[in-house]
Each structure stands twice: as structure tokens, then as C-alpha cells.
Amino acid sequence: MARHSATLLQGTLDLLILKALSTGELHGLGVSRRIEQMTDGTFVVQPGSLFPALHRLEEAGRLSSSWDASENNRRAKYYALTRAGRRQLGQETTEWNRISLAIARALEA
Amino acid sequence: MSRLSSLWRNLVQRERVEHDLDDEMRATLDLLVAEKVDAGLSPADARRAARLELGGVESVKEQVRDARRGALVNAVVQDLRYASRLLWRNPLFTLTAALSLSIGIGATTSIFTVANGVLLRAAACVTDPDTLVDLVRRDPKQGPGVELMSFPDLLDIRQRATLLDDAYGYQLQLAPASLLFDDSSTAVFACVVTANYFRALGVPAAAGRVFDAGDVEQAGASPVAVLSHDLWLRRFAGDAGVVGHTVRINNVPMTVVGVAASTFRGTSVVAPDVWLPVSMVAALSPDGGGQELTNRRIPWLMLGARLKPGVSRAQASAQLAGIGAAIQRDTPVNPFIPQDAPAGVHEIDPSSLVWSAEVASPIPYGLRIIAAGFLGLLMALVGIVLVIACTNLAGVLLARATGRRREIAVRTAVGAGRGRLVRQLLTETALLFALGGAAGLVLARAMTRLLFLLLPEFPVPVNLSAPLDGRVVAFALVLSFIAAVLAGLAPALHVSKSDVVTALKDDAQGPSDRHRLRNAFVVAQVAFSILLVVVAGLLVRAFDNVISVNQGFDPRDVDVASLDLTMGGYTDATGRDVVRRLRDRVRSIPGVEHASVADRAPGPAGRSFGNITVPGAVAQKGSPSAFTTWTLVEPDYFRTAGIPLLAGRDFSDADGPGAELVVIVGQRTAKRLWPDRDPIGQLVSVRPPRSGDPDIAALHSTDASARAREAQLRVVGVVGDLNFGNQSGSGPLVIYVPYQQKYLAQATILVRRTTGVGSLVQELRSAVASVDRNLPVLTTESLERQNNGPVQTQLRIAAAVAGSVGVIGLFLAGIGIYGVTAYAVTRRTREIGIRLSLGAGRGEVIRLVLRQGMGLVAIGSAIGLLLGLGAGALLSGRRFGIPQADPVVLVGAALLFAVVGLIACYVPVRRAAAIRAMEALRYE
């Protein structure tokens, strides 16, 4: 599978992050792996793009963070969706679906 | 986490935030390694793979930081911290840079402070100065002049100008008066103002009250006075009890109702000692005819008003223009408006006058262009020195930035963007300039005071306030900022382009275009410095020319004392006698060779009592009558002043009130009116000012019957002309008339001392007192010092300023030359070593270094001299008599810079000469 990383638009990356965290809290690396898994390896997000996005979303109030022990007992930062984040996820999903439907129709015609 | 609280965290708890980020990254790395190990790699391989995948911990951290809220602020703060540390660690550089900057910015700001105080804002101590306007009336086609209005004009404006509030008026020319209190009299300067003057300006009283609505504006009403704070301290010792007392001003009793606030010194450039209401104007000019409040043809007031809230100056001006046109149409008058041009009085066509509302400032609107031009010249001069300082700094910054190539390369390698780098370098420059600017602002106050010291002593107290208001501070800040950008941008851009690889290697040579840029800076410095020196030289020459031109009289060894006889209560009838008595009294002072009295000392100003007509002669512009300036003199005046008597005789005591009216004419007048005849014995007719026109500008007329008649005067003598900077051949036509035959209240006593006798001013004062105890002497000084016309004053100030900045510029240019030459020696040490080992003599080495430094001086000098020629061409257009190109100045400047260049190169040359081949070759 091709590896697209920096070509992801910021908005799309945000959507994927929110989706990745919709099932539970994860640390940064976990989010990256989750996205890779969800998209079947199509999107591998580089840390240089992921972590700034995570921090940005946290500062905007979409994510909350907490410190916990990681798999190998290191102090790691875990992210979780806030209520606002969940709301945004729903909105953006609807929006995305609408857009992709419209584009698909346009390409068919 | 909300936006605000995250901003707070990022800015204030930076340590915690950084620590967290570090932990997060470390944890991520560990997890990655664990992943790889699980997948089967060895721990070492796993670590390496993990690092690769993470992509550089620092880089990721940096990107997170940039994405955070407050990232920009953080970066700027960090830049500032770094920059200040850098400046702290290099105190010598910081000090010299800050010092040269502060001088440049300080000088420029101080000129602006003066310009602001004098041109751009109303006088000090008024409330809300930006809503004040001056109401003026002028002919747009005429040159600079003063525009006065009449009292009925003011009443009309009050009634009709709906966009203006509180229209007020004040007298521009202060009237000298005598103030009698407690049996002693003081000479004071009085200013007549309308009753709403203080209220309109918002000036409070320091004691008692100021004029208010209760002071009726009718002739003779409200005999009250307001003292200035200065006079109150000086003469009344600040005693609040003086309020309510009665004083006699010019022998008219008035009640002191209050003292003005301490920082208020009037609304014009001259500061009055006492304010009187318009109802009392007759007290200051008893022979004036008493029509000041009713006659529209007597303009004597400067008017001002306040804009109503929400009204712009343009709107008010338009309304005023309409009102003026209407008034001019309905009641056409031909106001007697004196203009500033040397040819004297012009008759104004009333329909060409335009009324308008202008920005309020102490200088009358019509004269602002002169003041602005002069201040502009000063600003250009000090601006050049600022440019030189900036160029100096730019060169030094470039050198330092070059030295930090390696550091910058490392930072680029680590991931700093070019924009970030440029911003950081600019921050350093900006900090330096902020320091320089702040210091400059402080210096500006001192420099403004210095500038005022350069002004000659005026016979009247001058009100030149230069307050440090918001506009001045803003000016200094903006100037510093622009200078910082200009000086720092070129080096910053240049250095940030550096190629990482070559910079990281040890590099002794370095790319040559950087050096070319630095050399270009030095050339620019030298060019501007020479420009300054040339301009200074031209100004000094002009000043020399002006003061050394033969003015037609001999000012040496002459003392003068000026009086105003109305202060002693003298009138036309009684004054002539006292003038004669004064003359006789001062003649008897030991050490006096000649003595006389005139209406004024020899000077460029003039007054006229009428045009003269010669039957059969064409005088001026096709009319038979010639405009002449008059001087009223007692016998022996010409000998006292050193004016040569060319034909005929001087006045004698016999030329008195009852005898035949006589006149002595100047040589130019004689040639113009009697080109082919002997003027002695000829008759001239004097046409007095048009009947019905009262005398203006402090002219005191003879009795009414004489005014109506044309007088006939007989020419008895011809004297040499006076010359005050006029082109040869032109200049006013002058005539002299005996004091006993035409009286004026202004009188000046002149005494010529016998050679070797010192100043006699004290004796003059006692002599006057012995004739009349209550007649105060206005000013006394030597005639030489009194010669301070506006042209000389401006030239003197300009020459002094140019000279000082020229010296500073020279110094800075010298430093620049030294810097670049020393650097060149350091850079080429290895090359010099090679040359020495190949057999070059020391002389050749010295020549090499000198060529470097002096080459720059030569190029800079050439450019600078060309600029100087251009500046000379520009300046000589005005009427200052500045020579366009003075070879002495040009050659002198070139030589001066050659010497400065040699001195600047001395140390580097010595160092170069001392280089030993072996050491040089070992040096990397």
C-alpha cells in the first residue's frame, strides 16, 4: 500500500484522530497505529504531523489528556475524546459523507 | 482545556510544558523500540529503526511547539532573551552601538520636538489642543506674511460661524508698558486679549481668577489685568495677596484679578508678562485713536477658536471661507496689511483674501513655511548622521553575523527555518535599536535645551515650549524601528543564506560578496560624512559672509539703550523735549565720543510715515511717489553710527519744530530720485497715509491738521546706504528726518565710545534715570550683539548644528574605516605571511593595507563631494546667500577625510607591519 503522510490535509487528519479515539483513550503512538490499522495501511501518519495535531486538538478542547503507565511502564500521555470532540466527530463525519457523495456523483456523470 | 488556559500554560508554565513534552516523546520512543524488538530486531537495530521512524526527537518537539497556542509569543520572548544575553556578553559593542544610535535618534527627535511644539500643536498648557484652530485671512498669491484681523471681524465670526465655539483673539505684537506698583516701575510686555481668551483655551488661574464673561468688551470697561506666573514670581515674589491690588499700567489704574497657570506663557512665540482685556487696549496706545474695537480697517488681532465636537477643521475652514467672502462683499475694506517682504507695505485687493481655519500653533500661519523650511533643513542634517550611524551598525552587524556563521549553520541543520533565523537576527538588531531609541529620547530633552541655548538673546521673552508629548515619543519609536529594519535587514538576509556545509567547515576566506557589502557600507558612511562636512562648511561660509558684509555703518564700540516714552507718560507734546534732554545728558558721560538718539538702531527692519514725491521724477513702478523707510534721528546720529556723510550737512539743533522741515536722504534714494541733479536744496513732498486710515503698527501720528496736509521737506544732506544682505543695488529707499520735527515714542540712545573705553550700558541706565526716574530702560547692549536678524539667527543655528553633526559623522566614518581595515588585515594575515615569505618588503605590505582602507575613503569622498555639490545647488536657491560650490570647502573636506582615513588606518597598518611570516603561516 502506498504511504501517504504529509499529503493529508489538516482537517482530514483531525477527523482520523477523533475517530481513532472514539473507542477509547490511546497514547500518541497508539493513535498512529490505530489510524494505520483503520485505513488498512493507506495512511501512516508521521510523528512530525501527528503530535502537533494532537496538541492542537487538546488545546482546542476536543481532547483531554492524562498521564498513565504505558505498556512498558513508562509515564506516557494518553488522549481521550471530550464531549465537544465527540460532537465534532459526528459533525465532520456527516460533512465528509456529504462531500464524498457529491464528488462521487460528479465523477460518475 | 480551553484556549485561554492553554495559552496561559504555554506562556507561564513553560518548564512544566517542556518537561511533559519531553516525557511524551521519550515514552513514544520507548514504545517504538519495544515494538521493533517484539517484531524481531536486535535492541541496537530496534533503537536505530525507532529513531528513524520518529524522525528526530528534537524536530518533532519543535513542530509541536510551533503548533501550540502562543507559539509566536514564545518565540519572540525567546529571541529577546537570547538577544539580550548576546548584547550583555559584548559590552563594548553594545555600548558603542547604543551610543552612536542614541545620538542619531536623539538629535533627530529633538529637532522634531521643536518642530512639534512650534508648528504642529497649540501652545503649552491649553486643554485639548487638537480642537483649537487659528482663524486666518490671507492672499494666497502673496508670500509669507502675518495675517491680522479686526475686532468687528471677530464679532462677525462669533455670530456667523456655527461650527466654531468660543472664538477669541489676542494681540500678536506685544506692547511694551510700564507697570507701577508700590512706587517702583517695571518694564513689562503686555498682551491684549478678548474676555473669553483664557476660558476658550482652558487655562486655569494659579491665583485669583482669569478673564471671564463678566469682563465686558467695551472700550474703557473692566480695568483689570492678569499677571503671568513668571512676572508674579519675579516682581511680586509669588505673594497671593497681590490679587485685588491696583497697579498702574502706563499710568492707567487697573486691578490685578489673578495670575495665570505656571506653564502657560501665551499663544505666540513671545511670552507676555501681563494680559489686559480688549476694553483696555487704549491704555497701551494712547495716541491710537481709540477705534480698535469699532473700526473694521484696523487689523490688530490674531484670532482662534475651538471646533465644535464632531466638526473637522476642513468643514470649519469651508464655512469660514464663505463667511469671509460674504463680509468682504458686503463691507469691502482695504486692510492695511504689512507683509514680510523687504519692499514693505502692499495694498491688498480685498476680494483676493481667503479666510480659513488652520491648525493652531504659536507661529502665525503665514510664517510657518519659513519655520518649516528651516527646521526641515536641520532635520535633514541630523537625519544624515542617523543614516551614517545606521550604516556603521549595519557593517558591524554584518561582521558579527559572519562570525556566527557556524552557529547559524548548526541551527539550520537542526531545523530552524530561514524565516525564523532572519527574525532572530532582526530581534537582536531591534533590541539594540530599542535601547538606542530609549536613550535617544532621554538625550533629546538635553539636546533640545542645547538647541535653545544656541538662540541669541532676544529683547523680548521668548515662549518656545517643546513639550514631550505622544507625538514625539511615537516619532522616536517609529524612527528607531525603521532604522533597525534598514540596518539589520541586509546583514540578516545575507547571512541566513549561508550554505550549511561550507559554513560548518573551517573557513578562512569566506565568500567575498559579504566583504563587498561591508565595504559598500563604509563607502556610504564616508560619502554621507563628507556631505555633512561640506554642507557645514557652506553654512559657515554663508554665515561669515552675512556678518562680515559691510553693512554701511560701524557697529564697533557703540552701546545702545532702547526706551518707550509712553511708559513714562510722555506724549507728542512732551516727548520731544525729553529726547533732547536725554541726548544732552548722555553726551556728558565720560568716555563718550559721540552720542545721539534715533527711533531705532541701524537694522534691517524699517517703518514708514509716508511716500515721498519729487516733482518731475519717476520713482517706483510708474508712480511718482516712492515708498521710503524713515529713520527719525537727532543731530550727530551719523557720526555716532559711523554712517558716512557724502554731501551736504547733518541735522543741527536749529532744525526744530518751528523751523523749515528738512530731510537727509540715502545715496540710493538720491540716485533714484535725482539721477542727474544735485539733490541738496531740492524739495520733496511727503504724502501721509491715506486720509481716513489711522496709523497702524505703532505709528504715532502728528496732529490732525498736519496729517491732512502734504508736507514739504528740503533735502540738506546725503548719507551712505545701509546694507543687510541685499543684493547690491537693491534695497529700500531710506530718508532721515529730525526727531524734533517728527516724534515717535520709541527711542534708542546710541553712544560711541572713545577707543579703549569699556561698555557704558550701566552709565546709560543711570543717565536715563537721572533725567526721569520713572522712565524704564527696555534693553541695553552693544550694537554688535544686537545685529541678530532672522537670517543670521537661522544661519548660526544651522551652521552650529551642521558643524556638530559633521564632527560626529566624521568620527563615525573614521570608526567604520578602522573597523573594515582591521578586519581586512585579520582576514588576509595568511596572505600577508605568504607574501612576506616570498620576499615582499614591509613597505609593500603597508601599501597593500593602505590601499584597502584609503581606496574606500577615495571612492566615498568622490561620491560625497558630488552629493555636496548637489546639496549646495539645492541650498543656494533660498535667499540665505549660501554659496553653491565653494572650492575651499570642497578641497578642505577632501583633505580632512584623507587625514581621518590615514589616522583610522594607522593601527591596522602597524599591526600588518608587525606580522611575522612564520606566525602568519601558522595562523588558521
Side-chain angles (χ1 to χ4, degrees), chain A residues 14 17 47 49-63 65 67 77 79, chain B residues 1 6 9-10 17 20-22 24-25 60-61 63-65 67-69:
Chain A
D14 283 0
I17 291 175
S49 320
L50 177 68
F51 282 99
L54 282 170
H55 280 254
R56 207 178 1 89
L57 283 168
E58 184 186 357
E59 284 180 359
R62 308 285 183 250
L63 304 176
S65 65
W67 290 88
K77 193 172 182 186
Y79 296 92
Chain B
M1 171 179 335
S6 55
R9 265 197 86 213
N10 288 340
V17 169
D20 285 351
L21 185 60
D22 197 43
E24 188 175 359
M25 289 297 112
V60 176
K61 276 204 217 170
Q63 282 175 295
V64 171
R65 281 189 208 114
R68 282 219 202 107
R69 251 176 235 300

Side-chain angles (χ1 to χ4, degrees), chain B residues 209-527:
Chain B
R209 69 167 177 90
V210 289
F211 299 145
D212 55 29
D215 298 307
V216 180
E217 288 173 342
Q218 257 177 1
S222 287
V224 292
V226 170
L227 306 176
S228 79
H229 203 262
D230 267 355
L231 181 71
W232 185 45
L233 293 178
R234 216 179 349 127
R235 176 73 184 78
F236 299 94
D239 176 22
V242 74
V243 175
H245 266 88
T246 308
V247 298
R248 295 181 90 86
I249 295 184
N250 280 358
N251 243 1
V252 176
M254 307 209 187
T255 316
V256 173
V257 290
V259 178
S262 60
T263 45
F264 184 65
R265 306 187 70 206
T267 41
S268 81
V269 205
V270 195
D273 296 311
V274 62
W275 286 276
L276 301 179
V278 287
S279 50
M280 288 284 109
V281 65
L284 296 176
S285 49
D287 292 342
Q291 296 185 11
E292 287 88 350
L293 296 185
T294 51
N295 194 331
R296 202 181 275 281
R297 305 176 88 163
I298 311 182
W300 60 285
L301 284 169
M302 294 285 293
L303 298 186
R306 220 175 250 292
L307 296 169
K308 280 215 166 85
V311 173
S312 77
R313 194 176 55 76
Q315 289 171 309
S317 200
Q319 186 186 51
L320 206 62
I323 295 175
I327 291 182
Q328 234 96 269
R329 213 178 32 240
D330 300 335
T331 49
V333 293
N334 207 345
F336 195 74
I337 300 183
Q339 298 280 1
D340 195 45
V345 172
H346 294 265
E347 297 271 331
I348 307 286
D349 173 18
S351 61
S352 69
L353 291 173
V354 176
W355 295 33
S356 62
E358 306 294 341
V359 173
S361 100
I363 292 196
Y365 179 71
L367 297 179
R368 274 175 219 177
I369 189 98
I370 298 181
F374 176 61
L375 287 169
L377 173 67
L378 291 186
M379 186 74 96
L381 288 174
V382 295
I384 293 180
V385 103
L386 184 62
V387 168
I388 297 177
C390 286
T391 321
N392 204 336
L393 258 179
V396 173
L397 285 172
L398 187 63
R400 280 162 51 83
T402 310
R404 291 166 59 195
R405 265 196 332 273
R406 207 187 287 184
E407 170 212 333
I408 293 173
V410 167
R411 295 172 83 196
T412 320
V414 166
R418 184 160 173 229
R420 181 83 201 271
L421 270 178
V422 171
R423 199 178 61 214
Q424 158 131 43
L425 291 172
L426 275 182
T427 312
E428 287 165 22
T429 320
L431 190 61
L432 196 59
F433 275 77
L435 279 175
L441 206 60
V442 170
L443 259 179
R445 303 230 8 107
M447 283 184 177
T448 315
R449 227 157 277 169
L450 214 77
L451 200 66
F452 286 162
L453 283 178
L454 283 174
L455 294 172
E457 270 179 40
F458 292 107
V460 290
V462 163
N463 169 31
L464 274 178
S465 73
L468 192 79
D469 66 2
R471 230 175 272 155
V472 174
V473 174
F475 176 80
L477 284 178
V478 169
L479 197 66
S480 312
F481 181 71
I482 295 179
V485 168
L486 284 179
L489 198 63
L493 282 176
H494 201 92
V495 169
S496 66
K497 273 198 312 230
S498 57
D499 180 14
V500 174
V501 176
T502 53
L504 281 173
K505 286 204 284 222
D506 264 338
D507 197 354
Q509 290 293 339
S512 60
D513 60 337
R514 202 163 290 141
H515 303 135
R516 243 179 274 145
L517 191 61
R518 196 159 174 213
N519 289 347
F521 283 147
V522 172
V523 165
Q525 279 178 63
V526 173

Side-chain angles (χ1 to χ4, degrees), chain A residues 33 59 71 74-75 79, chain B residues 10 23-24 30 35 69:
Chain A
R33 295 291 176 248
E59 284 180 359
E71 289 94 41
R74 243 219 204 259
R75 181 175 176 256
Y79 296 92
Chain B
N10 288 340
D23 278 353
E24 188 175 359
D30 279 347
E35 236 184 43
R69 251 176 235 300

Side-chain angles (χ1 to χ4, degrees), chain B residues 692-705:
Chain B
D693 282 341
D695 280 322
I696 315 297
L699 302 182
H700 293 261
S701 57
T702 53
D703 62 287
S705 58

